[in-house]
Structure formats: C-alpha cells, structure tokens
Amino acid sequence: MFGWFRSKPTCPVTAEEKSWIEERFTWLIDEFGMQRLTKGTFILPTAEFFPDDYDLTHGSIRSLMNRVAEYMDVDPVDLRLRFYEEARPEFEGMMTEGSAGLYGKVGNKHEIWLELNTLEDPLRAVATLAHEIGHVLLLGERRISPDEEDHEMLTDLITVYMGMGLFPANMVMQENYWDDGPLSGWSMSRQGYLSMNMFGYAFALYAIARGELSPKWLSQLRLDVRTACKQGMHYVNETGDCSCPFVTPR
C-alpha cells in the first residue's frame, strides 16, 4: 500500500564494475555498430545452431570453430586450429585452474589453440572458441593492445555483444564429480574473466538495447547469471541509471 513496502532497485554489480561494463559496452557499439547489437542473433546450444556431430575428431572441432567464427562475423578461412595439452594434477582438488585456449597470430593467420583436456564437453569447447575468436576481433584486428589491462575481460564482454555470451557465462564455474573404484571426489573449476554478476549485468544491457522485455533466451542462462540479469534489467528500467546511449536517464 502506498509503495511503503516496495524495495528500492539495486544493481547486481559494484559501482566500479558497472562503470566499466557500461563504458566498454558503449565502446563496442562505437566499434561494431548499434545494428550488430540490435539485429544480431542470440546463439543457443541447440541443434538449430549446432547441427553437426561432435566426436572430438579434428574435422568436427574444425567445423565447430568455423560455425562459431561465422556467428561472430569472422571469416573461418583466416583461422588455423591448433591443440596443446597442459599437465593435469595427479589428484583433483577443491579448485582447479588452467587455460582452456590460447590465441596467436602468425603471418596472416589467426591461430586458435585449444587445450585437449577441455574438449570433451562441447559447450565448454564453444565457450573457449568464442573467447579466442573474440581475441581475433580485438587483438587480431588491432582494435586494442594486449597491454591494456582489461583486454581479457573485454574479450569475454564481446561474446555477449556478438550473441555468443551464453556459453562462456554458463561455464564460469563448473563442478565435476568423479568415481574411480574405491576413490571418489569432486573438483570445481573456473573459466573466464567476468564474474557471474558481471555477465548478468552485461546481458541486461544487451536485452535492454534490443528492446527485449522478457528475453526467451533468459531461461537458458545458469541461475546465478539469470538472476543478475533480471536484477540488472529491473534496476536500469526503474532508475535509468546507465551511461549507455540506448538508455534515457530519468
């Protein structure tokens, strides 16, 4: 009654994170255009977008890379697929860290390196490919310098902008359980550079820019990212507190 018990909208990220996301989102608009943001397709983990069989052969991984590249407006012909393997710990622990992919450029070719132990999960493979192809757009096309402190975070952010963000967002934290005879255990691993709340707020800006009041893809996000996205959308729509050009301050 009379709005007495109406809670004040809150932003899911800190003031510093909010400022960075909005500044870099605006930068992406300047670089790639508002139309790419508003008219681009949101890519889902369905057969519609990924119809090819994934059997861990070089050919199937190459096909997967080509498809992700096309979704991100990168010519697959310019990409060279490479593999590497990192040493794995003898026993799995509470938290494991390690790279899933690397990027480099040799001559006119962009080299996408994938870590062999991370390829069994096709969703993780797509997440890694999206991030590394993000490097092609930013580092390979000389839009930013590798010396910029936030270039890895920006590479995660561009996956959201290009409609591929669901995959790295859903792979931020992963729990794995294993059972080997008398021994069993679990491990937790982290992938990427944006937190779940930062991904959520980035998705909120993505949805608002596209005029999506109730995005159909929202249900596909992991719960913590989805919650942050809803909170971010509510906050911006209620307060207008956002520096992006598609938000009118109140």
Side-chain angles (χ1 to χ4, degrees), residues 12-220:
V13 292
T14 67
E16 183 179 2
E17 291 168 343
K18 177 178 179 295
S19 177
W20 179 85
I21 293 170
E22 292 171 8
E23 178 183 343
R24 280 310 204 176
F25 215 83
T26 300
W27 181 86
L28 288 170
I29 291 172
D30 292 338
E31 288 291 316
F32 297 95
M34 191 68 181
Q35 186 171 358
R36 181 61 178 84
L37 174 62
T38 58
K39 303 300 183 184
T41 302
F42 190 96
I43 307 302
L44 296 169
T46 63
E48 176 186 357
F49 294 102
F50 298 96
D52 305 318
D53 291 334
Y54 183 76
D55 57 10
L56 293 176
T57 61
H58 185 281
S60 71
I61 298 171
R62 175 77 209 196
S63 295
L64 190 65
M65 181 181 73
N66 292 353
R67 197 170 290 278
V68 174
E70 289 171 354
Y71 289 149
M72 296 181 70
D73 297 339
V74 170
D75 190 342
V77 173
D78 297 332
L79 305 182
R80 181 181 290 129
L81 180 62
R82 300 292 196 195
F83 301 98
Y84 69 101
E85 186 171 12
E86 287 187 344
R88 300 284 106 179
E90 185 176 354
F91 297 102
E92 300 207 34
M94 274 266 303
M95 176 70 79
T96 60
E97 297 282 354
S99 65
L102 301 168
Y103 166 75
K105 189 174 184 180
V106 177
N108 294 323
K109 289 289 185 180
H110 302 282
E111 295 198 334
I112 305 296
W113 291 79
L114 300 179
E115 206 283 321
L116 288 171
N117 292 290
T118 67
L119 294 177
E120 290 189 7
D121 183 349
L123 298 181
R124 189 175 185 185
V126 172
T128 303
L129 286 165
H131 181 86
E132 301 309 323
I133 292 171
H135 280 313
V136 174
L137 292 167
L138 297 173
L139 297 176
E141 296 182 3
R142 297 184 178 181
R143 286 185 166 91
I144 64 170
S145 163
D147 296 328
E148 294 188 43
E149 291 184 3
D150 69 343
H151 82 270
E152 289 287 6
M153 294 171 61
L154 181 58
T155 307
D156 270 353
L157 188 62
I158 198 175
T159 65
V160 176
Y161 190 91
M162 291 289 173
M164 287 295 304
L166 178 144
F167 299 91
N170 283 358
M171 291 289 115
V172 171
M173 297 295 292
Q174 303 162 70
E175 274 191 287
N176 297 294
Y177 296 87
W178 55 271
D179 193 344
D180 184 11
L183 298 176
S184 62
W186 67 280
S187 66
M188 182 177 289
S189 60
R190 189 185 194 285
Q191 181 171 328
Y193 297 86
L194 297 183
S195 69
M196 288 176 280
N197 279 9
M198 292 177 75
F199 264 118
Y201 190 64
F203 280 118
L205 298 185
Y206 178 89
I208 292 169
R210 293 161 60 90
E212 296 178 295
L213 299 179
S214 183
K216 294 180 179 179
W217 44 262
L218 199 58
S219 63
Q220 298 290 323

